[in-house]
Amino acid sequence: MNLALNPIAFSFGPFHVRWYGMIIAAGILLATYMAIKEGQRRQIMSDDFIDLLLWGVPLGFIGARIYYVIFEWGYFSQHPSEIIAIWNGGIAIYGGLITGAIVLFVFCYKRMLPPFLMLDVVAPGVMAAQILGRWGNFMNQEAHGSQTTLAFLQSLHLPKFIIDQMYINGHYYQPTFLYESFFNLIGLILILSLRHKKHLFKQGEVFMFYLGWYAVVRFFVEGMRTDSLYIFGAIRVSQALSLVLFVAVIILFVYRRVKVKPKWYLDGSGLKYPYER
């Protein structure tokens, strides 16, 4: 008997609204709300986050798709008509994050905003959106790990609905979506608990904490997944990028502490509120 949850939330005639899309949308709204609330404390206007959202989200999705297509070019070169068929699946979080960071730096340059502070303010919300977004993968029964047993899943004391959803085509699979979501939740709790402590984070370091934490979690979880993108047929792209990002975070942290000596995170933007353009 098929116990899987229906990935379609509701329908309007021939049009179907999937849980995946609703969960992603909820994550975006949550990230925006968190950024606006924290931005107000750091002297950044709410309108800046709304404008950043309007540019960052669509371009982020495009970047996530391009990233996926590049590393699956062997397939898409033979099926070019499917390159834009994002509705069939195929986006990569790292592609979206890279594009989003580029958009943010350009946006901050145009608006004369401190980019590292903006990254600090935005990062916890992005992490929360990623935590929530993995449950979209759960609804689609994707981004799972290798085959496992019912006994193993029960030994993790998981709720029955999760175990049932991990039963795919006659076999049980590792809920890697859950592992990533859970460990990133721990990271988010740490960030939210520590970021307002005086003289702990310099500007840019809340973002670096997020990026370093996510890189470590993704490195280990990616090694368990069965749908990884590869380079040279043997190296998992996300694992390689996670390793590079983690090392880059350490180097950047040391360099900025020693050479740049940025302001403390709690000092905020230092701009008048509301500020002139």
Side-chain angles (χ1 to χ4, degrees), residues 180-250:
E180 185 173 327
S181 184
F182 174 76
F183 286 107
N184 280 335
L185 178 60
I186 294 175
L188 178 61
I189 292 171
L190 286 173
I191 288 175
L192 296 180
S193 300
L194 297 174
R195 68 176 175 177
H196 290 157
K197 290 189 177 297
K198 191 174 182 180
H199 293 170
L200 179 60
F201 289 117
K202 296 277 191 175
Q203 289 189 12
E205 292 177 358
V206 172
F207 166 72
M208 285 187 274
F209 185 104
Y210 149 73
L211 191 59
W213 184 280
Y214 177 72
V216 171
V217 171
R218 185 62 186 268
F219 180 88
F220 288 103
V221 172
E222 189 68 24
M224 303 173 67
R225 285 176 55 169
T226 59
D227 60 343
S228 298
L229 300 174
Y230 286 87
I231 50 176
F232 309 122
I235 301 173
R236 296 175 192 258
V237 176
S238 290
Q239 279 193 315
L241 184 55
S242 294
L243 183 60
V244 169
L245 288 176
F246 183 77
V247 173
V249 163
I250 299 300

Side-chain angles (χ1 to χ4, degrees), residues 4-23:
L5 299 171
N6 188 346
I8 297 175
F10 54 88
S11 302
F12 293 107
F15 301 102
H16 304 298
V17 178
R18 302 178 71 91
W19 281 111
Y20 182 88
M22 293 182 64
I23 291 171

Side-chain angles (χ1 to χ4, degrees), residues 60-88:
F61 273 109
I62 292 172
R65 180 61 172 180
I66 291 174
Y67 183 100
Y68 182 84
V69 169
I70 287 173
F71 291 107
E72 287 285 0
W73 185 243
Y75 173 83
F76 286 105
S77 63
Q78 303 299 316
H79 305 85
S81 62
E82 295 185 28
I83 290 176
I84 64 171
I86 196 171
W87 49 87
N88 291 332

Side-chain angles (χ1 to χ4, degrees), residues 144-148 152-153 166 172-177 179 224:
H144 56 72
S146 59
Q147 188 175 322
T148 188
F152 174 80
L153 295 179
M166 287 297 98
Y172 288 97
Y173 289 89
Q174 292 274 5
T176 47
F177 86 92
Y179 303 154
M224 303 173 67

